[in-house]
Amino acid sequence: MRERKKIALEAANTLTKCLNTGTGFLYNEIEVGRKRAGRAIIDFMTILPLLWWAHGETGDENYRDVACRHSISTIENLLRNDGSTIHAVDFEIKTGRIIRKT
């Protein structure tokens, strides 16, 4: 059991490193045109329970903060007024400027 907990906490630590502090999004790097960009997708919301769990297990506020920041950014940028969602948002990694929403 300890080994699984250790692996889960390592995964949570890795996930926190995927936060773009300018946008508040957890993201992957993609190529848009010939430039590197960040992409956040609505599906990332399904991995946030790992961060909430890690916070509960360790008390480390960073897990909670990353989950909250990503949630707020998702609500502000991917949730439409009618309650439906945009699948992805692409942004400039350094500036956080939104390039497109798809």
Side-chain angles (χ1 to χ4, degrees), residues 10 16 18 40 44 50-51 58 77 97:
E10 286 176 17
T16 63
C18 296
F44 288 169
L50 176 63
L51 296 177
T58 67
N77 292 282
R97 184 183 69 81

Side-chain angles (χ1 to χ4, degrees), residues 2-14 50 53-54 63:
R2 274 194 212 150
E3 187 63 25
R4 284 185 253 172
K5 182 177 177 179
K6 180 182 172 188
I7 291 168
L9 287 172
E10 286 176 17
N13 284 327
T14 298
L50 176 63
W53 170 84
Y63 297 120

Side-chain angles (χ1 to χ4, degrees), residues 35-47:
K35 293 184 178 183
R36 299 301 295 163
R39 173 171 283 172
I41 60 174
I42 193 68
D43 304 63
F44 288 169
M45 292 299 288
T46 64
I47 58 177

Side-chain angles (χ1 to χ4, degrees), residues 9-29:
L9 287 172
E10 286 176 17
N13 284 327
T14 298
L15 188 56
T16 63
K17 295 173 184 162
C18 296
L19 181 74
N20 179 280
T21 56
T23 63
F25 281 122
L26 294 169
Y27 76 102
N28 290 326
E29 283 192 34

